[in-house]
Amino acid sequence: MKKIRLLTPGPTAIPESVLAKFAEPVIHHRTSLFETEFKVLQDHLKWLFQTKQLVLTLTCTGTGAMESTVAGLFSPGDSVIVVNGGKFGERWTKLSKTYGLNVDEILLERGTAVSLQELEARMRANPGAKAVLFQASETSTGALMPVKGIVDLCRTHGMLSVCDGITAVGILNLPMDEWGIDVLITGSQKALMLPPGLSFLALSERAWKATESSRLPKYYFDLVRERKMQEKQQTAWTPGISLIHGGVESLRLLREEGLPALFERHERLARCTRAAATALGLEFFSRSPSPVLTTVKVPESFSVEQGKQIQKIMQEKYGVIITGGQDELQGKILRLSHFGYCDVFDVMTGIGALELALADLGHPVRFGSGTGAVLTAFRET
Ligand SMILES: *Cc1c(COP(=O)(O)O)cnc(C)c1O
């Protein structure tokens, strides 16, 4: 028997009461039964996004919401500035180029956040850019971006702020209306503690205005059509009915915890994880630490192959699934995720399995040094 434990930055573990919802019968969506339930979800989402705007629910993963945003706001030949700090920043670039936009990319050293001075210089050099597309938290490197600063600069320079908050919404404070974020996106399999398959996004008044002049082609991912339907608690196409059903429960759980406690829990788990990494002598990879996930370098004595083995042993021998680096970071970093349905005991489990895997690979480990540091940090904070 092997118990599988998921400690990855999406999909994340799902609470038992949410799982139970997926065993219930599927209802038809063109019914008042669905509309009543969808209304509850919409209300919870406004709370989560800290917005008065309607939060749209799309049946696709986060990338689909990113694509709807690009197709929905812009016209052929428009210029946008992209903050590319990793795989997901690169996705904004590829997506925008696919739609024929001119992309002015700020390519960051992996593991770093964008500097606001550099961004402002880029805005000055490219005053015609319509928007800045960025991640709140770059999941591939664990770098946290200065969201409020980016949004403020966008306001000053008359550009839209388009924030991929897929590993940020429900983890750290991103008050959409208060900060004036123009587009905020998230996905079901991250902090929302659901399986993959839904994405959620909200647009400011300014962003909705921009949709009126957009001339890029769109059909399935048409935000204006969706808004018309979702204002009436309906969807343009058949929605992920079961996921919505589960979402009402997962959001109820988050709302019961409350935003301040939710953000504090993630901060605390991040501190526990960092303490463990330090105790194990692991060096941090991200220079802009985030409450979402902690990225560490594999020990220097390890080859890339051995680096990849850590994750493999943790999964195959101990049933604990974490993620390593992608592309050029493969075998070089470990991504220790601590968000969603996650508490201090999940962090202990992950660190415990990491200690075992490192020892299996011949790395000197004093058992309990990492897990002990987790408990100590937990008590101290
Ligand atoms: C997971 C993730 C996405 C979306 O990826 P999908 O595979 O489409 O769900 C986008 N941006 C960030 C920052 C992510 O972490």
Side-chain angles (χ1 to χ4, degrees):
M1 201 280 294
K2 183 157 343 102
K3 192 162 172 177
I4 300 293
R5 294 171 162 97
L6 194 57
L7 291 171
T8 57
T12 59
I14 300 170
E16 295 74 5
S17 64
V18 177
L19 284 174
K21 294 286 171 195
F22 300 130
E24 292 179 14
V26 176
I27 57 166
H28 195 274
H29 52 296
R30 306 298 182 205
T31 59
S32 61
L33 209 55
F34 174 80
E35 287 163 7
T36 305
E37 177 154 68
F38 197 37
K39 179 123 191 64
V40 177
L41 183 82
Q42 290 177 330
D43 179 55
H44 284 332
L45 287 168
K46 282 185 183 181
W47 163 80
L48 185 72
F49 277 60
Q50 304 184 58
T51 186
K52 287 206 199 63
Q53 300 295 333
L54 177 69
V55 182
L56 298 179
T57 300
L58 305 181
T59 300
C60 57
T61 66
T63 308
M66 291 167 78
E67 179 153 351
S68 333
T69 302
V70 169
L73 294 182
F74 306 115
S75 297
D78 275 354
S79 284
V80 294
I81 295 173
V82 169
V83 176
N84 176 353
K87 276 228 71 94
F88 294 102
E90 186 183 285
R91 192 166 297 179
W92 275 135
T93 296
K94 288 184 174 165
L95 189 46
S96 304
K97 285 188 173 162
T98 301
Y99 278 89
L101 302 185
N102 286 315
V103 178
D104 186 3
E105 184 180 74
I106 303 179
L107 187 62
L108 301 177
E109 188 189 332
R110 284 0 196 181
T112 65
V114 69
S115 109
L116 295 176
Q117 286 84 342
E118 189 182 355
L119 177 60
E120 184 156 38
R122 208 53 94 82
M123 289 169 145
R124 289 226 161 90
N126 192 353
K130 293 267 162 70
V132 177
L133 280 46
F134 64 100
Q135 271 62 40
S137 154
E138 173 52 68
T139 322
S140 66
T141 67
L144 184 66
M145 300 292 166
V147 179
K148 172 123 188 358
I150 297 172
V151 174
D152 287 346
L153 282 177
C154 286
R155 289 262 137 170
T156 310
H157 292 266
M159 298 178 191
L160 294 170
S161 51
V162 177
C163 179
D164 164 0
I166 297 178
T167 48
V169 173
I171 303 170
L172 47 99
N173 193 27
L174 288 181
M176 176 167 169
D177 290 358
E178 188 191 323
W179 286 5
I181 302 170
D182 290 305
V183 181
L184 186 59
I185 302 172
T186 195
S188 55
Q189 82 272 29
K190 310 278 173 139
L192 275 78
M193 313 186 297
L194 288 167
L198 294 181
S199 59
F200 310 95
L201 80 166
L203 276 67
S204 68
E205 293 299 340
R206 289 203 313 162
W208 280 117
K209 192 97 197 110
T211 62
E212 291 168 15
S213 53
S214 162
R215 284 180 290 106
L216 283 174
K218 51 217 153 239
Y219 184 72
Y220 186 81
F221 290 129
D222 183 341
L223 296 178
V224 174
R225 186 203 295 244
E226 278 297 345
R227 174 157 82 160
K228 277 195 198 114
M229 295 299 285
Q230 298 199 15
E231 275 169 348
K232 299 179 292 186
Q233 285 70 51
Q234 274 299 337
T235 53
W237 325 108
T238 308
I241 297 166
S242 302
L243 290 169
I244 288 170
H245 191 52
V248 169
E249 172 61 9
S250 66
L251 278 150
R252 188 192 66 76
L253 292 172
L254 294 179
R255 203 160 180 178
E256 192 174 75
E257 182 174 20
L259 290 177
L262 184 66
F263 303 146
E264 202 189 302
R265 170 163 59 89
H266 288 107
E267 271 298 336
R268 197 174 188 193
L269 295 180
R271 279 198 292 271
C272 291
T273 308
R274 282 176 217 146
T278 303
L280 287 169
L282 298 169
E283 221 184 300
F284 294 109
F285 175 72
S286 166
R287 272 171 277 155
S288 176
S290 117
V292 181
L293 74 165
T294 299
T295 47
V296 294
K297 297 182 188 170
V298 308
E300 235 170 54
S301 59
F302 281 46
S303 65
V304 167
E305 253 340 285
Q306 284 172 312
K308 289 188 200 160
Q309 283 293 316
I310 302 174
Q311 207 189 324
K312 201 166 147 71
I313 291 174
M314 284 178 74
Q315 183 229 306
E316 291 179 357
K317 204 162 163 191
Y318 304 113
V320 175
I321 309 179
I322 65 158
T323 46
Q326 296 153 290
D327 296 342
E328 73 277 6
L329 293 174
Q330 262 196 51
K332 296 191 179 151
I333 65 167
L334 298 172
R335 295 184 292 154
L336 309 170
S337 179
H338 32 73
F339 68 89
Y341 187 48
C342 184
D343 68 5
V344 66
F345 302 107
D346 294 307
V347 173
M348 287 269 290
T349 299
I351 297 297
L354 176 60
E355 289 186 5
L356 288 168
L358 287 172
D360 289 345
L361 288 162
H363 191 69
V365 173
R366 192 165 51 78
F367 288 124
S369 55
T371 51
V374 171
L375 292 181
T376 306
F378 185 70
R379 272 304 284 270
E380 282 171 356
T381 55

